Amino acid sequence: MADDMKKAEEAVQTQTGQVDFEDLNLTEDQIRIRKLELEINKERDAIILANPNKLPVAVWFIIPNELGERFCFYGITPILKNFFKYQLGYNIAADANALKDIFMGLCYFTPILGAIISDSYLDKFKTIVSLSSIYILGLIVLTITSWPTVMGVATTQLSRVGPLLGLLMIAIGTGGIKPCVSAHGGDQFLSVQTYGLQAFYNYFYMSINVGALISSTISPMIAQTEYFPWPLANNQTLTEYFAPRGLKAPLGNGYPYSFLMLTCFMIGAMGIFVAGFKTYRVVPPAGRFILFDHIKTGITYAGFRMKMKREDAYKATADIHTEGMVVEMLDLIKVIGAIWPAPIFWMVFGQNSGPWQDMGEQMVVPFGGSQKSFFGTETLNNFWNPFFICVMAPILANYVYPVIDKRFGVRAFGLQQRIVVGQVLAALSFVVSALLQRWVNSTCAAGEEKDSCAGTVSILWLILLYVIITLGECFFSISGLNFTYTEVGKRTKSSCAALWLLTSGIGSFMSSAFLTATMSADQNAVAAGTKKYSEITWNRENFLWLLAGCCLASAVVQFIIARNYVPKAFRETAKF
């Protein structure tokens, strides 16, 4: 076992192509944490080293957990807009979309909370279990308070307080564990397992989309079933009841049953994760607020940098805060500088479940089906994205990227370059969607209002949009997740993963603001009778053109960043 311990220490300490912090001057506390990590994981590391080409057993508890959790999250999102519209009374389509975007934004802001807890105070396992409990409690609250017969009210007269409180708890729970799960999975690998780590992130991202693929099909089907009586007057139809509210007749009211199903899956996912406890490698937390330490280090470095060259500023800051802390801080700053345009991509990407879904309601369902069928807009708009990811991601990882690396070198089409291509493809998908919206409106009967009329274009054309944007997501999102893990130090991996997720949250809030300032304002003016539809500026087609332009501009900025960014593995020194 002594030989195994020595090998484990060497494996942990060896960083291929990078400078390890063991080679730098560390504080006594930092050395203590490093030694504690080796001591805690010595048996687990020995097992891993016995067969380093095999994926650690722990990942088979982490991946199913991620699949189950994402099953829950992506089971909520496709039905949330109509839940707001038909159950909670947010009648204006853009308002329901904006509220959905706020929920999505919260889900991607709260990762900062999870990262702070896991990196600074609790380890990742304890953080995941604690915040998963809040997640499950939120699902229970949402399920109960959306159940009309339990609440003793009609199905369209639910109080907003309970469901919104449940969604807030879900946002805290799901967001809080997101950076911890991906970073916890990365922690299961030693530095000699570079290709194993890449394979893990490929499987990890596929598990997200397998869960999304299944739940985004099943959850809308349940929600579109009528389980509760509508509060209709004698001989009143659903169309007559909802028309004064500016809504089409709903497909069903089975939202509580969908939420109940998702609650059960989340409980199962947490059970699987806890069952793998003895197989996990554990990286101890710092015991204090790490980001505060990095902020102090950054302020010190900035102060010296104003008075001296960067090499001298580096040495002066290292004398105060240790060289390891300075390298961590500089790595984190470099990553932030490389990913800051990402919110634009997520702002644009999020519209596939809003305006694209609204456009699908105008289109013709093939094979004699209705909007309740598999090709209805709710199912269609939430099925093809995860489906194509499950198809495209392994092809890119196992065939396309290796061939490009072998032929042109690993730096020719690295992670930053892939992120740029993803943004260009997203912009292209919205150019096509704007043209498709124009085509749909052109087929409406004379006198009908655009964006709400019934066109004659097949809804199958939406699949083309998902082919393009999903390919863009594979380039952008998987590469970004890998980038933020590999380009920073060990103690800030959860924090950096949270920053990547934060870009998605910022994008969701930007999307909500865009909708409120453009489409929502115009739609409310039409509803109030102060404008005719033909007089508004932000119809759906113009809004889609705006998104395409924003994403293309972001791609140009990202291209400039990629041209100047040197990956950590290829820097001459760890410092600059």
Side-chain angles (χ1 to χ4, degrees), residues 311-322:
E311 292 88 351
D312 295 332
Y314 176 93
K315 293 176 182 178
T317 308
D319 288 341
I320 299 174
H321 295 287
T322 75

Side-chain angles (χ1 to χ4, degrees), residues 348 356 424-434 464-466 468-469 548:
V348 173
W356 284 14
V424 172
L425 288 170
L428 176 61
S429 72
F430 275 82
V431 169
V432 176
S433 69
L464 173 62
L465 303 183
Y466 280 97
I468 301 172
I469 202 167

Side-chain angles (χ1 to χ4, degrees), residues 11 41 60 138 148 167 242 323 362 400-401 405 456 462 486 493 499 511 530 560:
N41 297 303
W60 304 118
L167 288 169
F242 283 98
E323 191 172 5
Q362 294 182 257
V400 177
Y401 296 154
D405 289 349
T456 60
L462 286 182
T486 58
K493 291 190 183 298
L499 290 174
S511 173
T530 58
I560 296 172

Side-chain angles (χ1 to χ4, degrees), residues 390-534:
C390 293
V391 173
M392 294 175 179
I395 293 174
L396 291 173
N398 296 320
Y399 300 102
V400 177
Y401 296 154
V403 169
I404 294 175
D405 289 349
K406 184 176 181 180
R407 184 175 179 84
F408 301 103
V410 294
R411 293 190 65 180
F413 195 55
L415 297 175
Q416 276 284 303
Q417 287 74 26
R418 297 171 198 174
I419 290 173
V420 174
V421 172
Q423 289 177 311
V424 172
L425 288 170
L428 176 61
S429 72
F430 275 82
V431 169
V432 176
S433 69
L435 295 173
L436 184 58
Q437 181 65 67
R438 181 183 299 179
W439 182 20
V440 171
N441 285 337
S442 70
T443 64
C444 295
E448 290 187 319
E449 290 186 346
K450 296 179 179 180
D451 292 357
S452 61
C453 56
T456 60
V457 179
S458 173
I459 199 172
L460 295 181
W461 280 100
L462 286 182
I463 298 175
L464 173 62
L465 303 183
Y466 280 97
V467 171
I468 301 172
I469 202 167
T470 302
L471 183 59
E473 183 187 6
C474 287
F475 281 118
F476 184 89
S477 188
I478 299 177
S479 300
L481 188 65
N482 197 344
F483 177 80
T484 53
Y485 185 85
T486 58
E487 292 295 301
V488 295
K490 181 175 294 186
R491 297 188 308 156
T492 53
K493 291 190 183 298
S494 287
S495 297
C496 200
L499 290 174
W500 177 249
L501 296 170
L502 181 62
T503 65
S504 182
I506 294 172
S508 293
F509 283 124
M510 290 172 62
S511 173
S512 179
F514 261 55
L515 283 165
T516 301
T518 56
M519 293 186 70
S520 180
D522 276 348
Q523 287 181 6
N524 276 289
V526 172
T530 58
K531 282 186 178 181
K532 295 181 180 179
Y533 192 86
S534 58

